[in-house]
Amino acid sequence: MTTQMTTPMTTVRHVKTGKVAELATATWSNCLVIGNEISMSGMTAHPASRNSVLSTYEQTLVVLGKVRDLVEAAGGTLGSIYKLVIYVKDIADKDEVGRARRDFFKAPYPCSTLVEVSGLVFPELTVEIDAFARLDIDLQQAVN
């Protein structure tokens, strides 16, 4: 006789917030919580970038604000964000991105990767960020 072990399915929540638009026609989710992991789609400054010309510094702050809003809607805090992958159209903007990160986060900062890309979804965008977070951590409690 064969006994089959079943593993319980991990709960998945689709998180939405009025602070970060998720179009009804979108073929992606902005934020899913899978167990303790918060998974987010790449965030850009759109639509704020369509309403006015924003520097890379300003776009980065808008994006980080969206990430924070999604993490908080999922039940986490700013300290739950442990890694960022940042895509910039011009690597020369790395200092603007760094300044925005310093203005937004406190040490210890999330781990990070910065990559130059040839283009983003809309021509006025200069930065897009993938963020990784967990509900069971708080970087502000990290031991140095």
Side-chain angles (χ1 to χ4, degrees):
M1 176 189 271
T2 304
T3 305
Q4 217 174 6
M5 300 290 290
T6 58
T7 305
M9 296 289 281
T10 301
T11 302
V12 177
R13 290 187 294 129
H14 182 191
V15 175
K16 295 181 182 182
T17 175
K19 295 178 180 180
V20 182
E22 186 168 315
L23 302 175
T25 57
T27 56
W28 66 90
S29 299
N30 280 339
C31 184
L32 297 174
V33 177
I34 305 163
N36 282 325
E37 187 75 22
I38 302 171
S39 182
M40 290 169 271
S41 292
M43 293 286 125
T44 68
H46 181 78
S49 59
R50 287 269 159 112
N51 300 331
S52 62
V53 176
L54 300 176
S55 68
T56 298
Y57 170 79
E58 293 165 325
Q59 286 191 33
T60 304
L61 288 177
V62 168
V63 174
L64 292 174
K66 286 181 169 184
V67 168
R68 179 198 56 225
D69 291 342
L70 287 167
V71 168
E72 288 177 352
T77 67
L78 198 57
S80 301
I81 302 165
Y82 67 87
K83 172 134 175 103
L84 301 172
V85 178
I86 303 169
Y87 307 94
V88 291
K89 281 183 23 181
D90 186 347
I91 201 69
D93 288 343
K94 69 183 184 328
D95 292 337
E96 286 190 61
V97 170
R99 181 168 61 104
R101 286 172 45 92
R102 281 188 303 279
D103 289 348
F104 197 83
F105 293 104
K106 291 188 268 181
Y109 300 103
C111 297
S112 184
T113 300
L114 182 71
V115 179
E116 182 181 51
V117 296
S118 62
L120 297 169
V121 68
F122 297 117
E124 75 275 5
L125 294 173
T126 60
V127 64
E128 182 167 339
I129 299 176
D130 286 338
F132 301 85
R134 292 188 57 92
L135 291 171
D136 57 350
I137 65 168
D138 183 353
L139 287 185
Q140 298 311 301
Q141 304 301 316
V143 178
N144 291 328

